Amino acid sequence: WKGLLCTNLPDCVQAINCVSSLPIPLSTPPECSVNAIADLVFLVDGSWSVGRENFKHIRSFISALAGAFDIGEDKTRVAVVQYSTDTRTEFALNRHSKRGELLKAINTLPYKGGNTMTGDAMDYLLKNIFTEVAGARKGFPKIAMIITDGKSQDPVEEYAERLRNIGVEIFALGIKGADENELKEMASIPHNTHVYNVPNFDVIKTVQKKLITQNNLFHNVDHIEMTSNVFSTPECSLGVDVQADVVLLVDGSYSIGLQNFAKVRAFLEVLVNSFNVGLDKIRLSLVQYSRDPYTEFALNTYNDIASVVKAVRTFPYRGGSTNTGKAMNYVREKIFISTRGARTSVPRVMVLITDGKSSDSFKDAATNLRNIDVEIFAVGVKDAVRSELEAIANAPAATHVYTVEDFDAFQRISKELTQSICLRIEQELLNIKKRSEILVVVQLRTPGTAISCNLEQRNTQLGCGAWL
């Protein structure tokens, strides 16, 4: 598994299963670029009851969990604080921005020794770690993982509540002599995913496996509101009852890679969260393509935002070449049809996201989509060809074509793109309304005679002559 890079938790299972079978101490945890970004703090009991030999197991546990995140200044930040009679910062959130440096620091943590003052230690986190000076970021998920082997010698409930009140998600791992009720006093709810208690240090790795491969730790990071992420969800000014069919066409070719595909998922999550999803509102479809296109979900698959977000977070990376033309033909023939949930007389939008030049012809496919009133937006990343994007998208290019230098730059365009999509939906709704009202041909009984009037005039029988 060496060198395996994972972009979501199912992809990481193979690596973690391999790692959890290795003998402790674990020196090189798997590289997993998890679709979660947070400020993660390990609060470690270094009291005398732990012992130097058992402290090695704690180091390995921290190393495995921290190593499963994508570490960086603008990604996940990690801090380690050790406590006993007093509390000390081993390293703060802004100390290590490279994964290798972080793991080296974890694997060389010194053992402290002393009593077990867990309450004081949590107060220390509040005052000295989850602060801007120490590297904590506003608007990012905050996680504290407390690891202890015994009952605290001071009260914990009040300090734990203070941490939770500033938005810290608390996990508690108790080992050997830890008090179950005290762990629950400290941890966030639900306790079945935040409290872990094991009989000895040798079985810590079973908790490690649960936290990573069963999604418990990362699930909670991912479900903190998107406003806490590096992307903030732009507000869409559409009314609550607005209807539209929106298709996301995503390049899943080999050139993107697993790590960057996690960033594509995060970007898609921002987009879908900006819409009011529902059966009689905005319907969303996701199609991934490489050599061949694949429907991840159709317009009539999901009718609530929670289901859409879950699907966006978990759809797999497929890999292959970049047949954009074939994919657009697929969208026209297989997605914008009534049996897959497409509706008549509602705005139709397609958002293309690609990182490279198409391997097949695409101009006719794009024209055919536009000819059935599909408004096309194109997002190009890295090696995407601007002229190709402009040939695919609707005019004007200024509001329909977006390019970014790399996958980390999606945040820069997310707000503008979303607002452009919403504006075009509003404009198309007005166009549809006008088309339905402007000319209604009324066939008179006299053959060959017709009178035109709008629907309002027809309803009032004014201006259209006699109704026969």
PDB file of all heavy atoms in Angstrom, residues 193-215:
ATOM      1  N   THR A 193     -20.646   7.467  19.024  1.00  0.00           N
ATOM      2  CA  THR A 193     -19.612   7.785  18.032  1.00  0.00           C
ATOM      3  C   THR A 193     -18.538   8.706  18.587  1.00  0.00           C
ATOM      4  O   THR A 193     -17.608   9.072  17.862  1.00  0.00           O
ATOM      5  CB  THR A 193     -20.231   8.442  16.780  1.00  0.00           C
ATOM      6  OG1 THR A 193     -20.920   9.639  17.151  1.00  0.00           O
ATOM      7  CG2 THR A 193     -21.187   7.485  16.084  1.00  0.00           C
ATOM      8  N   HIS A 194     -18.650   9.107  19.853  1.00  0.00           N
ATOM      9  CA  HIS A 194     -17.681  10.041  20.435  1.00  0.00           C
ATOM     10  C   HIS A 194     -16.948   9.496  21.658  1.00  0.00           C
ATOM     11  O   HIS A 194     -15.966  10.088  22.092  1.00  0.00           O
ATOM     12  CB  HIS A 194     -18.385  11.346  20.832  1.00  0.00           C
ATOM     13  CG  HIS A 194     -18.807  12.188  19.670  1.00  0.00           C
ATOM     14  ND1 HIS A 194     -19.919  11.900  18.920  1.00  0.00           N
ATOM     15  CD2 HIS A 194     -18.262  13.295  19.112  1.00  0.00           C
ATOM     16  CE1 HIS A 194     -20.057  12.808  17.957  1.00  0.00           C
ATOM     17  NE2 HIS A 194     -19.056  13.650  18.053  1.00  0.00           N
ATOM     18  N   VAL A 195     -17.438   8.389  22.232  1.00  0.00           N
ATOM     19  CA  VAL A 195     -16.819   7.816  23.435  1.00  0.00           C
ATOM     20  C   VAL A 195     -16.325   6.400  23.133  1.00  0.00           C
ATOM     21  O   VAL A 195     -17.072   5.564  22.617  1.00  0.00           O
ATOM     22  CB  VAL A 195     -17.815   7.777  24.609  1.00  0.00           C
ATOM     23  CG1 VAL A 195     -17.192   7.081  25.821  1.00  0.00           C
ATOM     24  CG2 VAL A 195     -18.262   9.185  24.981  1.00  0.00           C
ATOM     25  N   TYR A 196     -15.054   6.157  23.469  1.00  0.00           N
ATOM     26  CA  TYR A 196     -14.450   4.837  23.268  1.00  0.00           C
ATOM     27  C   TYR A 196     -13.710   4.454  24.547  1.00  0.00           C
ATOM     28  O   TYR A 196     -12.986   5.255  25.117  1.00  0.00           O
ATOM     29  CB  TYR A 196     -13.482   4.856  22.075  1.00  0.00           C
ATOM     30  CG  TYR A 196     -14.182   5.214  20.783  1.00  0.00           C
ATOM     31  CD1 TYR A 196     -14.336   6.548  20.417  1.00  0.00           C
ATOM     32  CD2 TYR A 196     -14.709   4.224  19.958  1.00  0.00           C
ATOM     33  CE1 TYR A 196     -15.003   6.889  19.247  1.00  0.00           C
ATOM     34  CE2 TYR A 196     -15.372   4.558  18.791  1.00  0.00           C
ATOM     35  CZ  TYR A 196     -15.524   5.888  18.435  1.00  0.00           C
ATOM     36  OH  TYR A 196     -16.190   6.222  17.296  1.00  0.00           O
ATOM     37  N   ASN A 197     -13.912   3.215  24.980  1.00  0.00           N
ATOM     38  CA  ASN A 197     -13.290   2.752  26.218  1.00  0.00           C
ATOM     39  C   ASN A 197     -12.740   1.350  25.984  1.00  0.00           C
ATOM     40  O   ASN A 197     -13.479   0.446  25.583  1.00  0.00           O
ATOM     41  CB  ASN A 197     -14.320   2.735  27.358  1.00  0.00           C
ATOM     42  CG  ASN A 197     -13.669   2.899  28.718  1.00  0.00           C
ATOM     43  OD1 ASN A 197     -12.446   2.906  28.836  1.00  0.00           O
ATOM     44  ND2 ASN A 197     -14.479   3.028  29.755  1.00  0.00           N
ATOM     45  N   VAL A 198     -11.430   1.170  26.173  1.00  0.00           N
ATOM     46  CA  VAL A 198     -10.809  -0.135  25.917  1.00  0.00           C
ATOM     47  C   VAL A 198     -10.100  -0.612  27.180  1.00  0.00           C
ATOM     48  O   VAL A 198      -9.664   0.193  28.006  1.00  0.00           O
ATOM     49  CB  VAL A 198      -9.812  -0.052  24.742  1.00  0.00           C
ATOM     50  CG1 VAL A 198     -10.540   0.243  23.441  1.00  0.00           C
ATOM     51  CG2 VAL A 198      -8.727   0.992  24.994  1.00  0.00           C
ATOM     52  N   PRO A 199      -9.968  -1.933  27.336  1.00  0.00           N
ATOM     53  CA  PRO A 199      -9.417  -2.478  28.589  1.00  0.00           C
ATOM     54  C   PRO A 199      -7.920  -2.299  28.753  1.00  0.00           C
ATOM     55  O   PRO A 199      -7.414  -2.299  29.873  1.00  0.00           O
ATOM     56  CB  PRO A 199      -9.785  -3.964  28.515  1.00  0.00           C
ATOM     57  CG  PRO A 199      -9.934  -4.245  27.053  1.00  0.00           C
ATOM     58  CD  PRO A 199     -10.482  -2.992  26.459  1.00  0.00           C
ATOM     59  N   ASN A 200      -7.172  -2.159  27.665  1.00  0.00           N
ATOM     60  CA  ASN A 200      -5.732  -1.998  27.787  1.00  0.00           C
ATOM     61  C   ASN A 200      -5.160  -1.310  26.550  1.00  0.00           C
ATOM     62  O   ASN A 200      -5.844  -1.136  25.538  1.00  0.00           O
ATOM     63  CB  ASN A 200      -5.038  -3.350  28.038  1.00  0.00           C
ATOM     64  CG  ASN A 200      -5.349  -4.347  26.930  1.00  0.00           C
ATOM     65  OD1 ASN A 200      -4.956  -4.155  25.788  1.00  0.00           O
ATOM     66  ND2 ASN A 200      -6.064  -5.407  27.296  1.00  0.00           N
ATOM     67  N   PHE A 201      -3.919  -0.951  26.617  1.00  0.00           N
ATOM     68  CA  PHE A 201      -3.272  -0.184  25.552  1.00  0.00           C
ATOM     69  C   PHE A 201      -3.064  -1.001  24.270  1.00  0.00           C
ATOM     70  O   PHE A 201      -2.941  -0.437  23.188  1.00  0.00           O
ATOM     71  CB  PHE A 201      -1.923   0.358  26.049  1.00  0.00           C
ATOM     72  CG  PHE A 201      -2.066   1.486  27.030  1.00  0.00           C
ATOM     73  CD1 PHE A 201      -2.191   1.233  28.390  1.00  0.00           C
ATOM     74  CD2 PHE A 201      -2.081   2.807  26.605  1.00  0.00           C
ATOM     75  CE1 PHE A 201      -2.324   2.269  29.306  1.00  0.00           C
ATOM     76  CE2 PHE A 201      -2.211   3.845  27.505  1.00  0.00           C
ATOM     77  CZ  PHE A 201      -2.339   3.577  28.857  1.00  0.00           C
ATOM     78  N   ASP A 202      -3.014  -2.318  24.404  1.00  0.00           N
ATOM     79  CA  ASP A 202      -2.757  -3.159  23.233  1.00  0.00           C
ATOM     80  C   ASP A 202      -3.883  -3.115  22.210  1.00  0.00           C
ATOM     81  O   ASP A 202      -3.670  -3.459  21.041  1.00  0.00           O
ATOM     82  CB  ASP A 202      -2.544  -4.616  23.664  1.00  0.00           C
ATOM     83  CG  ASP A 202      -1.276  -4.786  24.483  1.00  0.00           C
ATOM     84  OD1 ASP A 202      -0.337  -4.003  24.250  1.00  0.00           O
ATOM     85  OD2 ASP A 202      -1.237  -5.682  25.333  1.00  0.00           O
ATOM     86  N   VAL A 203      -5.089  -2.717  22.617  1.00  0.00           N
ATOM     87  CA  VAL A 203      -6.230  -2.751  21.688  1.00  0.00           C
ATOM     88  C   VAL A 203      -6.635  -1.356  21.217  1.00  0.00           C
ATOM     89  O   VAL A 203      -7.712  -1.161  20.670  1.00  0.00           O
ATOM     90  CB  VAL A 203      -7.435  -3.480  22.327  1.00  0.00           C
ATOM     91  CG1 VAL A 203      -7.130  -4.949  22.508  1.00  0.00           C
ATOM     92  CG2 VAL A 203      -7.841  -2.829  23.636  1.00  0.00           C
ATOM     93  N   ILE A 204      -5.762  -0.386  21.428  1.00  0.00           N
ATOM     94  CA  ILE A 204      -6.057   0.965  20.936  1.00  0.00           C
ATOM     95  C   ILE A 204      -6.289   0.954  19.429  1.00  0.00           C
ATOM     96  O   ILE A 204      -7.119   1.693  18.908  1.00  0.00           O
ATOM     97  CB  ILE A 204      -4.904   1.934  21.281  1.00  0.00           C
ATOM     98  CG1 ILE A 204      -4.864   2.220  22.772  1.00  0.00           C
ATOM     99  CG2 ILE A 204      -5.078   3.253  20.534  1.00  0.00           C
ATOM    100  CD1 ILE A 204      -3.769   3.184  23.157  1.00  0.00           C
ATOM    101  N   LYS A 205      -5.569   0.094  18.739  1.00  0.00           N
ATOM    102  CA  LYS A 205      -5.675   0.124  17.275  1.00  0.00           C
ATOM    103  C   LYS A 205      -7.065  -0.277  16.784  1.00  0.00           C
ATOM    104  O   LYS A 205      -7.448   0.059  15.663  1.00  0.00           O
ATOM    105  CB  LYS A 205      -4.609  -0.762  16.636  1.00  0.00           C
ATOM    106  CG  LYS A 205      -4.710  -2.245  16.928  1.00  0.00           C
ATOM    107  CD  LYS A 205      -3.573  -2.986  16.220  1.00  0.00           C
ATOM    108  CE  LYS A 205      -3.637  -4.487  16.491  1.00  0.00           C
ATOM    109  NZ  LYS A 205      -2.538  -5.208  15.824  1.00  0.00           N
ATOM    110  N   THR A 206      -7.851  -0.984  17.606  1.00  0.00           N
ATOM    111  CA  THR A 206      -9.229  -1.293  17.196  1.00  0.00           C
ATOM    112  C   THR A 206     -10.071  -0.023  17.150  1.00  0.00           C
ATOM    113  O   THR A 206     -10.940   0.127  16.293  1.00  0.00           O
ATOM    114  CB  THR A 206      -9.870  -2.315  18.148  1.00  0.00           C
ATOM    115  OG1 THR A 206      -9.962  -1.755  19.464  1.00  0.00           O
ATOM    116  CG2 THR A 206      -9.065  -3.598  18.194  1.00  0.00           C
ATOM    117  N   VAL A 207      -9.813   0.898  18.083  1.00  0.00           N
ATOM    118  CA  VAL A 207     -10.507   2.186  18.070  1.00  0.00           C
ATOM    119  C   VAL A 207     -10.033   3.006  16.879  1.00  0.00           C
ATOM    120  O   VAL A 207     -10.825   3.668  16.200  1.00  0.00           O
ATOM    121  CB  VAL A 207     -10.252   2.948  19.386  1.00  0.00           C
ATOM    122  CG1 VAL A 207     -10.897   4.328  19.341  1.00  0.00           C
ATOM    123  CG2 VAL A 207     -10.763   2.142  20.566  1.00  0.00           C
ATOM    124  N   GLN A 208      -8.736   2.960  16.646  1.00  0.00           N
ATOM    125  CA  GLN A 208      -8.157   3.662  15.494  1.00  0.00           C
ATOM    126  C   GLN A 208      -8.878   3.245  14.212  1.00  0.00           C
ATOM    127  O   GLN A 208      -9.268   4.085  13.381  1.00  0.00           O
ATOM    128  CB  GLN A 208      -6.680   3.325  15.402  1.00  0.00           C
ATOM    129  CG  GLN A 208      -6.000   3.656  14.089  1.00  0.00           C
ATOM    130  CD  GLN A 208      -4.647   2.967  14.005  1.00  0.00           C
ATOM    131  OE1 GLN A 208      -3.918   2.893  14.984  1.00  0.00           O
ATOM    132  NE2 GLN A 208      -4.323   2.435  12.837  1.00  0.00           N
ATOM    133  N   LYS A 209      -9.095   1.955  14.058  1.00  0.00           N
ATOM    134  CA  LYS A 209      -9.742   1.435  12.851  1.00  0.00           C
ATOM    135  C   LYS A 209     -11.189   1.920  12.754  1.00  0.00           C
ATOM    136  O   LYS A 209     -11.665   2.305  11.689  1.00  0.00           O
ATOM    137  CB  LYS A 209      -9.683  -0.089  12.857  1.00  0.00           C
ATOM    138  CG  LYS A 209     -10.147  -0.738  11.560  1.00  0.00           C
ATOM    139  CD  LYS A 209      -9.899  -2.234  11.608  1.00  0.00           C
ATOM    140  CE  LYS A 209     -10.347  -2.900  10.309  1.00  0.00           C
ATOM    141  NZ  LYS A 209     -10.114  -4.359  10.336  1.00  0.00           N
ATOM    142  N   LYS A 210     -11.894   1.903  13.889  1.00  0.00           N
ATOM    143  CA  LYS A 210     -13.283   2.378  13.890  1.00  0.00           C
ATOM    144  C   LYS A 210     -13.367   3.846  13.509  1.00  0.00           C
ATOM    145  O   LYS A 210     -14.212   4.261  12.722  1.00  0.00           O
ATOM    146  CB  LYS A 210     -13.908   2.182  15.279  1.00  0.00           C
ATOM    147  CG  LYS A 210     -14.285   0.758  15.615  1.00  0.00           C
ATOM    148  CD  LYS A 210     -14.938   0.691  16.995  1.00  0.00           C
ATOM    149  CE  LYS A 210     -15.309  -0.734  17.372  1.00  0.00           C
ATOM    150  NZ  LYS A 210     -15.920  -0.801  18.720  1.00  0.00           N
ATOM    151  N   LEU A 211     -12.496   4.648  14.081  1.00  0.00           N
ATOM    152  CA  LEU A 211     -12.541   6.087  13.836  1.00  0.00           C
ATOM    153  C   LEU A 211     -12.274   6.423  12.382  1.00  0.00           C
ATOM    154  O   LEU A 211     -12.844   7.363  11.835  1.00  0.00           O
ATOM    155  CB  LEU A 211     -11.520   6.802  14.729  1.00  0.00           C
ATOM    156  CG  LEU A 211     -11.920   6.958  16.194  1.00  0.00           C
ATOM    157  CD1 LEU A 211     -10.722   7.388  17.023  1.00  0.00           C
ATOM    158  CD2 LEU A 211     -13.041   7.962  16.328  1.00  0.00           C
ATOM    159  N   ILE A 212     -11.400   5.652  11.742  1.00  0.00           N
ATOM    160  CA  ILE A 212     -11.023   5.974  10.366  1.00  0.00           C
ATOM    161  C   ILE A 212     -11.886   5.226   9.361  1.00  0.00           C
ATOM    162  O   ILE A 212     -12.571   5.834   8.544  1.00  0.00           O
ATOM    163  CB  ILE A 212      -9.533   5.672  10.117  1.00  0.00           C
ATOM    164  CG1 ILE A 212      -8.670   6.516  11.053  1.00  0.00           C
ATOM    165  CG2 ILE A 212      -9.164   5.959   8.664  1.00  0.00           C
ATOM    166  CD1 ILE A 212      -7.195   6.245  10.951  1.00  0.00           C
ATOM    167  N   THR A 213     -11.909   3.895   9.411  1.00  0.00           N
ATOM    168  CA  THR A 213     -12.579   3.143   8.355  1.00  0.00           C
ATOM    169  C   THR A 213     -14.091   3.139   8.498  1.00  0.00           C
ATOM    170  O   THR A 213     -14.798   2.951   7.512  1.00  0.00           O
ATOM    171  CB  THR A 213     -12.094   1.685   8.319  1.00  0.00           C
ATOM    172  OG1 THR A 213     -12.461   1.036   9.534  1.00  0.00           O
ATOM    173  CG2 THR A 213     -10.601   1.629   8.117  1.00  0.00           C
ATOM    174  N   GLN A 214     -14.623   3.355   9.699  1.00  0.00           N
ATOM    175  CA  GLN A 214     -16.076   3.419   9.862  1.00  0.00           C
ATOM    176  C   GLN A 214     -16.578   4.854   9.872  1.00  0.00           C
ATOM    177  O   GLN A 214     -17.728   5.119  10.218  1.00  0.00           O
ATOM    178  CB  GLN A 214     -16.493   2.693  11.152  1.00  0.00           C
ATOM    179  CG  GLN A 214     -16.211   1.191  11.107  1.00  0.00           C
ATOM    180  CD  GLN A 214     -16.655   0.482  12.376  1.00  0.00           C
ATOM    181  OE1 GLN A 214     -17.399   1.017  13.181  1.00  0.00           O
ATOM    182  NE2 GLN A 214     -16.195  -0.748  12.546  1.00  0.00           N
ATOM    183  N   ASN A 215     -15.690   5.790   9.503  1.00  0.00           N
ATOM    184  CA  ASN A 215     -16.090   7.179   9.241  1.00  0.00           C
ATOM    185  C   ASN A 215     -16.427   7.994  10.481  1.00  0.00           C
ATOM    186  O   ASN A 215     -16.830   9.148  10.357  1.00  0.00           O
ATOM    187  CB  ASN A 215     -17.322   7.233   8.325  1.00  0.00           C
ATOM    188  CG  ASN A 215     -17.058   6.665   6.964  1.00  0.00           C
ATOM    189  OD1 ASN A 215     -16.041   6.027   6.752  1.00  0.00           O
ATOM    190  ND2 ASN A 215     -17.962   6.907   6.033  1.00  0.00           N
TER     191      ASN A 215
END
